[in-house]
Structure formats: C-alpha cells, structure tokens
Amino acid sequence: MSNADEQNSKGPQTTGHVWDEDLQEYNNPVPAWWIWAFYGTIIFALVYWTLYPTWPMGKSFSKGMFNDITFVNDKGEEVTTHWNMRALFLKEQQTGEQALKQQEYLQKISDSSYEQIMSDPDKMAFVNSMAKVLFADNCGPCHGKGANGVIGLYPNLLDDDWLWGGTIDEVAYTINNGRKGYMPSFGGVFEKEKLESLASYVLSLSGIEGGDAARIEEGKHIFQGEEGGCYYCHTAEAKGMKSQGSANLTDKVWTIANVPGHDRYEEKLAAVEKVIVDGVDREMPTWKARLSKDQIKLLTVYIHQLGGGQ
Amino acid sequence: MNNQSAEARVPLYPRSVKGSFRRFKNSILVIAYLVYYGLPWLPWSRSVGPDRAVLFDIIGRKFYFFGLVVQPQQMFWLAGLLMIAALLLFFVTGVAGRVFCGYFCFQTLWSDLFFKIEHWIQGERPARIRLARQSWNGEKFRKIGFTWLLWFAVAFWTAITFTLYWGEAGDLLRRFFTGEAPSAMYITVAVLTFTTFTMAGLAREQVCTHMCPYSRFQAAMFDKDTKLVAYDANRGEGIKGRAKMRKGQKTLDERHGQGSGDCIDCGYCVQVCPTGIDIRDGLQISCIHCGLCIDACNNIMDSLDWPHGLIRYSSETEAEGGKVRIFKLKSIGYALAIVIVTAVLGWSISHKADLETAITQTRQPLFVTLSDGSILNSYEIKLANQTTTEKQYSIAIRGLDDAELDTGNFSQLTLQPLKNLRLMVKVKRSPGDRRLNKVDDFEFVIKDDVSNQEAAVIPARFYAP
C-alpha cells in the first residue's frame, strides 16, 4: 500500500502540530472500513427514524411511516395505527401463521358435536393442549393448575365425584353460569354430644371405623329426623343432590372436611364437626361473559375427561 | 504498523494448465456441480410426502433423503454425520495434507469455475493482464462486463439452488419469479448471490489465506509422514541453485556438471497457482495443495524429456530418504473412530423404530382418590408413526394385575403415515382393603393390530398415597 510505503520511507506521519518545541502527534487515521461502517450506521439511523417511532416531540412522538399496522381491537373495530410492538402482537394473534392454524382447529371444534370431538383423537389432542392453557389461566387460580383443587375451598376436578353433575351438559352449565354452594351453619344448634354423634354418623357413612355404635345411632336419628334435617339436602341415603350441589357423604371423596388429611379418628371427627358448625358458603363465578363459546366448549371437554366424566 | 496487514493484494491471473491433477479436479468439478445443482430436481416416488429425492421440509419438520425420512427427534444423526466429516478431514489431512482444500472445498470449486469463465471470455494469463492494465475502453467494458454478468448468473443460480432444497423445487422457483415466495427465500438468495459473487469472483485466494480457519489448523495436523505438494529442493537447486536455460545449461549432464539444479526457473508453477505463491519457497500457509504446480512442472519436464517429479507429493521423511509410514498410531486412531461412528450411525438408521413413543405422567397431582376409594394416575402418551403407511394400534397395560386402563374412546387408534398423536390415558387401581405400594412399575404395551406384534413397550410408574 502506498500509504504504508510512504510511512516506512519517511518515518511516522504527524499531524504537523508542535507543542513545547518537540511534542508532536502521530497521524493515525482510523481504517477506511471503519469509517464506512460508521457512515453506514448513520444511514441506518436515518432510515430507522423514518420508518419507526423514534423521537419524543412534546407530549407526542414521531410516528414513523410506511409500516402502519391494521388489527381488530377488542371492540371488534378495525384499527390502523403506527408501528408498535403491541399492535404487532395483536395482529400476530389474529392473522399470524400460528394464529390461523389455531383458528382452523377452533373452527373444527366449533363445528363438531361433543361426541364427535371425543371420538376423534386428533381433536382431543388439540383440546388437551389448548384447554390446558385456558384452564391454567382462568380456572387454575382456584382449582389449581392441575385441577386438583384445595380441600375445604375448591373442588378437585380430577376425581369422579361431581357435586353438580359430571355429564357434558352439566359441566358446560357449571362453567357458563357458575355455581353457589351453600350449607347453613349449625353453630349453637347442637350441644356438644349431639354434634359429636352427628359427625360420627357422617364418618360411618363412608365406612370409616372407630366410632361408637350408640353415638352413630344417635347421629343417624339427628341426620334423618327433624332435629338436624340434614336429609333435606343430602337425601335419606346421604348421596347428595346434584340440583343443590350437596355432597355425597357415602363415597371416599371429601371436598370440604379434611378427613383424608388426618390419621386419628378424633381428628377426623373434629374436621367434620367444624364443617357442621361453620357451614359452607362457596361460589364459582360465571364464565359466560368472559370466555368465548368455543373456549367454554374446549374447557368442558377437558374437564369432563379429567375427572372421567359421566 | 504491521507490514503484513498493510500489504495490498496483488491481483492474480492464474494460467491454465493441463495434466492429471487438472483432469482429476475437472471430474470432481463436474460431479460436484451435477450433484449440487441437480439434486433438488431429482424425482422420487413416495406413498406420502413430496415427489423429490431430497427435500428439507422445515415447516413440516421432516427431512426427506431418498428412501429415508428424518424427523427432528433423529437430529442427532446430523451430529454423527458431522463427526464423520470432521474425523475424515483429520484422517486425510494427516495422511495426504490439505486434500479437502485442494480438491473438495466449495471455495476452491466455485473460484475454479469463476476462473474458467474469466479465462473463456478474457483469454489466457497475458491477455488478462493486458486487459487489466489497459485503460477503460469499449473492449474492456465489454469483456469485464460480460465476465461479471456470467459470474452473477452463476452466483444467482447457486443461491436459488440452495433455497430449492427447502421446498418443492418447481413450485418454489415459480413462486420466486411471481413474487409469491416467502421473504426468507428472497433474503437467502440475495445474501448467497452476493457472497458467492464476492468470494468466488473477487476475494478468491484471500478467503483461504485470510478468512478460513481450517487452513490455519490443518497445518497443525501435518507430521513428518504427511504427503504434501512439495518442491524437491535437492534436485531443483543442485549445489549452485536453479538456473535458466542458457547456452551450456541445456542438458541435465551439462547442468549437473556445473552444479546447477534441474529447475529451469521458468516460473510456470508460480503462474498457474490459484493462490499466487511460489511452491519453491517451501511449505506455506497459503498453499491449498491443489496439485496444479505439479501438472505445470511435469509439462515442462516432458517437453525437455527430463524425469517427472521436481514438484510432487512427498513428505519430510521421504525428503530425508526415509520410508513413509501411513499406518501410524494417529491415522489408525482416526480410521478406527471413523469406522465406529459410521457403524453406530448406520445401526441407528437401520434400526429406526417404526413407532416412536414418549410418556409424561401428570404430576400435579400424582394420584387422585376416587369415590369408591380407588386410586387414579394419568399419563400423556405421545405416539409418532415413523413409517409411510397407515398403522393401527391398540394400547394395553402389563405388570399391574389389579389395574384398569381408561383410554377414553381410543382403545384402538389409527395413525396416519408420519403423523404423531398425543393421548391422555388414565390407570385406575382398586386396592380394596389392601394398602398399595407408594410406587409400582408397570408398562404400557402398544400393539400393532395388523401384524399383531408389540410395536413399543413404554415403562411407567404408578403412584399411590
């Protein structure tokens, strides 16, 4: 390179400035490729400023040109806006490649009956993957991400015990309209012995051993008679009523009283007594207004198969 | 300032040459280009999938390679392939030097093609040098322009061909020219056209000397027994050095008598070199060992009726008069490694399962107590039909006598060719009065209903309180 040759022959080039008689500065210009890359970044910035929102201008900002985004907002109106990540995200969700593919499947679900969905492994695979996320987002906060609920508060949806019925229609109704589970408080109604007797009877219904036969007999009298009147809701067989959401007390599943969580009979007894004294007041909200029809359909099938629906 | 980095490039005008190495390189050129440009168009009949022999379907996540369909879960085959390629490079480099650089590297192949175009339009080395030195006139514009146009066409078609591997070639090509192709294709074509043109047409040997890391580390793999393109300095230089053909220096006897070597310093070996080095300076990093200087020198020796081999493949040991050992610990080790990796890869490909399975147990919660006191575990089973035929499967469990399997409506399944499916299944055990083990091992058995054989056995666990 001629430059290098020149420097080699004449010694280092200087800027020509001299301070303090002999203090000079070498002239070492940055390489040409570096300079051009620097100019390149300037051109890039100019293009970027033109295309994208960049400069703050008082309370507004420069909006950019040529890349407006059109999407449908949550009111169903078509909106065109300057380029921004949020609009891009919404548009992607509506017309992106993956979104279209999902819509195609959603349409299939929408067009099929529950029987058709449940007998098609492909559709079921879609239900399982999409409803899993829907469930975790919407139902998970109470029922848990895995739908195992919280004993005493939120029902476990994985077992085959359904307070409000486990058929497809009943599950769909529950999601759409919500439920209100209520059992009155019997606090102060019974004296201590009678309360213990009633609880013993309730434990005996599901075959838990350790109770005193006389106590159980007395408890049965209270349960089935006017003194307690429990049979109104729980029925004389204690199997519960779907229309009331009253629990089946004869099976092994406990929703409110934490009987499985205790080992000793006295503790189990106390758990049941607590429910009788406190009563139950639970509410599941309605989802009709918050989720789309297809989303509820997906959730219905998902929940139905989780608990081996009826 | 470092002198080396400031050194400007001297443009090269390699002279063409005829000879055995040139013929060998030409045949590789023809085969490699036939394969590269032709493969995307090669038809192939399949019961499902595209009718092309080679197609990398990214969206469908399937890689069709003749009779083989590779799915993403078999991607480790690629690792095997790359290992074989690397080991082969190490092996060959140890035995015969930079064979890859000289004959098979795409940089070598493409710049060779670009040289040929340049030679065809602008003529032999002196004509090209003259053209480069003359001022811009009609002839220069025409010749350079036409060269660049042809280069561009080759670069463009190279880029297009690369993209054709990722889709159905005819359809993709039509969409490219009607503006309907994905933007990825346009970007790839633009980038590859640009890089092919600059690398093969303009940068050329600079890629090998300044950019390529392989040229640097391959030299580290040479040893005393490695056969390399080398100048026989003993013979060429004699006692007093090389000498031009002059009066009294015309025959071998005359020259040997005066102490001159066999090299007549014609410079032919330098003129033909695609990286512009003088092989007589000894082993150097810029040498890609393409053998063209051997051809050049042998041609001169032929014309003088002197023996071949002033420049030839030889090793340090040979130069010292020893005998080359090809089978030494290093090369045997590499060869063994190649054989092992190839065998493992071959075994893995030939024993590819028809049905791929995976299982995930529902962990939240691990088990559920049902109303009759029985215990339920749930599993997600993934089945992938790896064959190109439709399959019928049924699912059963084995190893738990008291267990009951609930597959919903799917105790029998039809799996389309190359499709996969995820299935939620539940296993229920009624212990009665017994207490279940906390963990029990069992198996899911997937049976092929047509052949009535077990297609897969999936180990699983049953958890109880």
Side-chain angles (χ1 to χ4, degrees):
Chain A
M1 199 179 280
S2 60
N3 219 345
D5 291 343
E6 244 172 58
Q7 293 200 0
N8 289 337
S9 55
K10 293 180 195 162
Q13 209 180 55
T14 67
T15 53
H17 303 163
V18 183
W19 297 270
D20 295 340
E21 291 171 10
D22 60 351
L23 189 57
Q24 295 182 47
E25 191 185 2
Y26 281 172
N27 181 19
N28 280 332
V30 290
W33 66 264
W34 195 97
I35 286 287
W36 285 110
F38 176 63
Y39 292 151
T41 59
I42 292 173
I43 293 165
F44 177 87
L46 290 173
V47 173
Y48 190 92
W49 294 345
T50 325
L51 294 177
Y52 295 98
T54 338
W55 288 103
M57 299 191 302
K59 285 186 174 173
S60 180
F61 51 89
S62 67
K63 299 282 197 300
M65 284 187 271
F66 311 122
N67 51 11
D68 288 350
I69 295 170
T70 305
F71 65 100
V72 180
N73 69 9
D74 49 7
K75 294 189 191 78
E77 300 154 352
E78 198 164 273
V79 184
T80 300
T81 168
H82 64 86
W83 189 96
N84 66 82
M85 287 299 278
R86 187 180 153 71
L88 194 66
F89 175 65
L90 289 171
K91 191 186 166 187
E92 275 287 302
Q93 282 195 315
Q94 287 157 7
T95 53
E97 207 175 312
Q98 304 301 326
L100 291 177
K101 194 128 193 185
Q102 191 184 58
Q103 277 162 26
E104 191 186 303
Y105 264 94
L106 273 176
Q107 191 59 44
K108 271 195 218 164
I109 296 294
S110 181
D111 294 343
S112 318
S113 70
Y114 283 110
E115 288 74 40
Q116 283 167 335
I117 296 171
M118 286 188 291
S119 55
D120 182 343
D122 204 32
K123 289 194 186 103
M124 275 313 282
F126 175 72
V127 168
N128 281 328
S129 58
M130 185 165 177
K132 195 177 190 170
V133 179
L134 278 176
F135 187 92
D137 284 352
N138 297 288
C139 319
C142 292
H143 290 286
K145 191 167 160 280
N148 49 326
V150 179
I151 200 157
L153 293 168
Y154 311 110
N156 183 339
L157 301 177
L158 296 168
D159 59 34
D160 59 346
D161 185 35
W162 298 89
L163 290 173
W164 303 93
T167 65
I168 279 285
D169 288 340
E170 287 162 336
V171 174
Y173 184 91
T174 304
I175 301 175
N176 270 308
N177 301 300
R179 294 291 188 182
K180 204 161 161 47
Y182 180 70
M183 169 174 147
S185 152
F186 289 85
V189 173
F190 305 118
E191 52 212 65
K192 196 172 180 311
E193 276 82 52
K194 287 197 170 174
L195 184 63
E196 211 178 299
S197 300
L198 185 55
S200 306
Y201 175 66
V202 170
L203 282 179
S204 75
L205 284 170
S206 48
I208 291 171
E209 286 162 13
D212 177 60
R215 276 288 168 81
I216 292 171
E217 195 49 43
E218 190 192 5
K220 181 178 182 182
H221 193 73
I222 298 166
F223 189 95
Q224 304 288 6
E226 296 306 319
E227 194 175 358
C230 311
Y231 71 92
Y232 281 130
C233 293
H234 286 288
T235 76
E237 295 84 39
K239 295 214 185 260
M241 273 200 293
K242 277 191 218 162
S243 60
Q244 306 290 312
S246 53
N248 181 348
L249 301 175
T250 63
D251 64 18
K252 300 278 196 290
V253 175
W254 295 88
T255 334
I256 309 290
N258 191 6
V259 172
H262 294 293
D263 288 329
R264 287 178 31 232
Y265 186 78
E266 292 74 42
E267 289 169 342
K268 289 180 197 270
L269 206 61
V272 176
E273 282 173 18
K274 189 171 167 10
V275 177
I276 299 172
V277 170
D278 293 351
V280 178
D281 190 0
R282 305 191 295 178
E283 187 179 355
M284 167 167 154
T286 150
W287 290 93
K288 186 157 58 177
R290 291 207 241 173
L291 296 174
S292 76
K293 265 179 122 165
D294 290 338
Q295 286 174 321
I296 288 178
K297 199 167 184 178
L298 286 168
L299 281 171
T300 303
V301 177
Y302 180 70
I303 291 165
H304 180 263
Q305 62 117 37
L306 277 181
Q310 293 151 354
Chain B
M1 191 186 259
N2 188 331
N3 244 345
Q4 186 119 31
S5 67
E7 207 173 296
R9 180 192 179 216
V10 183
L12 298 180
Y13 307 94
R15 188 184 278 279
S16 61
V17 63
K18 287 192 171 75
S20 49
F21 284 98
R22 184 65 260 180
R23 275 199 302 279
F24 178 57
K25 279 168 74 76
N26 282 349
S27 50
I28 292 173
L29 222 61
V30 170
I31 295 168
Y33 287 134
L34 272 181
V35 170
Y36 177 74
Y37 293 109
L39 218 47
W41 299 95
L42 191 67
W44 195 264
S45 73
R46 280 191 189 86
S47 52
V48 280
D51 55 354
R52 299 283 168 191
V54 178
L55 200 153
F56 308 132
D57 181 1
I58 297 264
I59 296 158
R61 295 184 207 162
K62 290 183 182 62
F63 302 92
Y64 301 92
F65 195 79
F66 298 94
L68 195 64
V69 183
V70 184
Q71 308 229 35
Q73 57 265 42
Q74 287 135 359
M75 224 34 187
F76 65 92
W77 287 349
L78 184 66
L81 218 58
L82 292 174
M83 274 163 77
I84 292 173
L87 288 168
L88 212 58
L89 179 74
F90 300 160
F91 174 76
V92 167
T93 308
V95 172
R98 287 166 62 175
V99 168
F100 174 73
C101 295
Y103 309 106
F104 301 103
C105 176
F106 44 87
Q107 172 64 23
T108 304
L109 291 178
W110 258 264
S111 33
D112 220 7
L113 181 66
F114 278 45
F115 276 137
K116 279 179 188 299
I117 293 171
E118 191 179 77
H119 178 255
W120 179 55
I121 294 169
Q122 300 176 14
E124 193 51 271
R125 174 181 157 90
R128 302 213 298 273
I129 294 176
R130 197 184 331 109
L131 188 71
R133 285 193 184 146
Q134 80 189 31
S135 56
W136 286 96
N137 58 9
E139 187 205 8
K140 188 168 181 175
F141 267 115
R142 203 177 62 246
K143 284 189 171 170
I144 302 274
F146 194 38
T147 309
W148 280 42
L149 194 71
L150 268 185
W151 282 358
F152 177 81
V154 172
F156 180 68
W157 198 248
T158 302
I160 285 266
T161 301
F162 179 81
T163 59
L164 295 186
Y165 280 89
W166 311 88
E168 206 283 307
D171 174 56
L172 214 51
L173 198 64
R174 184 191 54 76
R175 281 163 65 193
F176 182 85
F177 287 108
T178 50
E180 295 161 20
S183 56
M185 185 177 183
Y186 292 105
I187 294 167
T188 310
V189 167
V191 169
L192 285 184
T193 306
F194 174 75
T195 50
T196 309
F197 188 91
T198 31
M199 295 305 151
L202 307 177
R204 291 182 174 173
E205 83 286 350
Q206 295 178 97
V207 175
C208 310
T209 51
H210 295 311
M211 300 181 201
C212 182
Y214 298 100
S215 64
R216 304 281 152 155
F217 77 66
Q218 282 187 77
M221 285 180 235
F222 297 163
D223 56 38
K224 288 184 153 202
D225 292 317
T226 307
K227 288 262 202 178
L228 300 168
V229 174
Y231 169 64
D232 187 344
N234 290 336
R235 182 184 154 195
E237 304 293 317
I239 302 156
K240 291 193 178 157
R242 59 187 86 137
K244 290 215 181 283
M245 289 292 267
R246 284 190 297 266
K247 207 172 181 161
Q249 297 258 22
K250 294 226 159 147
T251 66
L252 280 179
D253 290 339
E254 283 171 6
R255 292 171 75 90
H256 291 170
Q258 293 178 32
S260 303
D262 287 6
C263 175
I264 60 163
D265 206 10
C266 63
Y268 196 18
C269 58
V270 180
Q271 290 177 16
V272 298
C273 181
T275 63
I277 58 164
D278 187 344
I279 191 70
R280 295 170 299 178
D281 295 343
L283 179 63
Q284 45 207 295
I285 202 97
S286 306
C287 177
I288 59 168
H289 297 252
C290 64
L292 290 181
C293 50
I294 302 181
D295 276 347
C297 191
N298 284 347
N299 285 347
I300 298 296
M301 293 294 131
D302 275 341
S303 67
L304 296 167
D305 243 350
W306 294 355
H308 278 184
L310 185 51
I311 304 174
R312 62 171 191 274
Y313 264 99
S314 77
S315 66
E316 208 176 312
T317 318
E318 266 180 324
E320 288 161 4
K323 201 167 161 16
V324 174
R325 282 167 56 232
I326 292 179
F327 295 105
K328 47 188 184 272
L329 193 62
K330 186 173 82 172
S331 42
I332 292 174
Y334 281 140
L336 208 62
I338 294 171
V339 171
I340 292 170
V341 178
T342 314
V344 171
L345 184 63
W347 185 89
S348 172
I349 292 174
S350 59
H351 284 70
K352 183 176 75 147
D354 285 352
L355 178 69
E356 287 246 338
T357 59
I359 188 165
T360 321
Q361 176 151 21
T362 303
R363 289 171 193 282
Q364 195 193 10
L366 274 170
F367 51 79
V368 183
T369 308
L370 298 183
S371 53
D372 61 354
S374 52
I375 307 297
L376 186 80
N377 280 206
S378 327
Y379 307 84
E380 186 187 68
I381 295 181
K382 192 172 168 190
L383 302 173
N385 181 1
Q386 301 282 358
T387 67
T388 47
T389 50
E390 191 180 285
K391 292 276 186 180
Q392 295 270 353
Y393 294 115
S394 57
I395 304 177
I397 48 172
R398 187 165 62 196
L400 290 178
D401 297 333
D402 54 355
E404 213 178 292
L405 174 71
D406 175 12
T407 54
N409 294 320
F410 311 121
S411 57
Q412 287 198 303
L413 280 172
T414 306
L415 223 59
Q416 299 299 320
L418 298 173
K419 285 276 176 205
N420 53 39
L421 193 68
R422 278 177 300 153
L423 198 65
M424 293 292 299
V425 300
K426 285 170 279 199
V427 175
K428 188 167 93 173
R429 291 175 80 184
S430 312
D433 293 334
R434 235 155 21 88
R435 199 174 175 85
L436 291 171
N437 292 337
K438 279 212 175 297
V439 186
D440 272 321
D441 288 309
F442 72 103
E443 292 167 337
F444 284 95
V445 180
I446 318 289
K447 205 180 72 184
D448 187 323
D449 285 348
V450 180
S451 68
N452 220 11
Q453 278 175 341
E454 283 177 13
V457 175
I458 316 169
R461 299 188 127 180
F462 191 95
Y463 290 86

